[in-house]
Amino acid sequence: MASNHETFFQLGSFALVGRSANKPFPILSYRRLKKLGKTVYAVDPSTSEIDGDPSFADLASLPGAVEGLIIETPKQETADWVAQAADAGIKDVWIHMAHDTPEAVATARERGINLRTGTCAVMYLKPGLTYHSIHKLIMKALGKY
């Protein structure tokens, strides 16, 4: 049976949020979701383009609805992005490992969001032998996959 983390990638449309001015955009997840044929939007208030695609400043600016949101921004922004997700009707959110906060988790719980946190999305998306696959093996052994 698929875990809650694994079922996230069964969704059909995603937005990925980053802030390139502070840290690299989550480009590996972005590219892999596109390669899997998903509808994917880049959201980065610090740039107008990600990987040759338009980047949007916020979730309200997206040209279409999305089912899932991956957040990989500076930690102090996470709770605001979770609230934006709830306002946009997004019910499935992934907060990249070590980017969650008690406020973000509480907001997700209060607003009915199915939150995934504590791990890296890339280990679910990147096939082959990489450091992400090693991370995947460790997480499986620990029962956290």
Side-chain angles (χ1 to χ4, degrees):
M1 183 171 166
S3 71
N4 190 37
H5 285 83
E6 291 169 303
T7 61
F8 184 78
F9 298 105
Q10 294 172 1
L11 301 172
S13 58
F14 297 86
L16 282 81
V17 181
R19 189 172 288 277
S20 300
N22 298 83
K23 156 184 189 11
F25 188 82
I27 199 70
L28 294 176
S29 297
Y30 183 78
R31 287 177 178 162
R32 185 65 184 159
L33 286 167
K34 285 176 60 176
K35 188 173 183 175
L36 291 172
K38 308 294 184 174
T39 299
V40 186
Y41 299 108
V43 179
D44 187 334
S46 63
T47 187
S48 62
E49 185 179 292
I50 295 290
D51 208 33
D53 298 330
S55 176
F56 301 89
D58 54 38
L59 298 178
S61 301
L62 295 177
V66 297
E67 298 170 279
L69 175 68
I70 297 175
I71 302 171
E72 194 171 337
T73 59
K75 198 170 187 170
Q76 65 271 20
E77 296 181 21
T78 304
D80 291 338
W81 286 107
V82 171
Q84 273 195 55
D87 292 344
I90 301 169
K91 295 293 183 191
D92 288 278
V93 174
W94 186 299
I95 299 174
H96 187 73
M97 59 190 278
H99 290 255
D100 58 327
T101 64
E103 297 82 12
V105 172
T107 298
R109 186 174 39 253
E110 292 164 7
R111 306 283 302 269
I113 289 174
N114 183 0
L115 184 65
R116 283 87 164 178
T117 189
T119 190
C120 172
V122 179
M123 72 180 196
Y124 293 85
L125 290 170
K126 190 79 172 155
L129 183 60
T130 66
Y131 66 90
H132 291 99
S133 62
I134 294 167
H135 185 200
K136 179 179 183 175
L137 289 172
I138 293 168
M139 296 300 277
K140 279 189 170 191
L142 294 173
K144 296 181 178 184
Y145 188 79

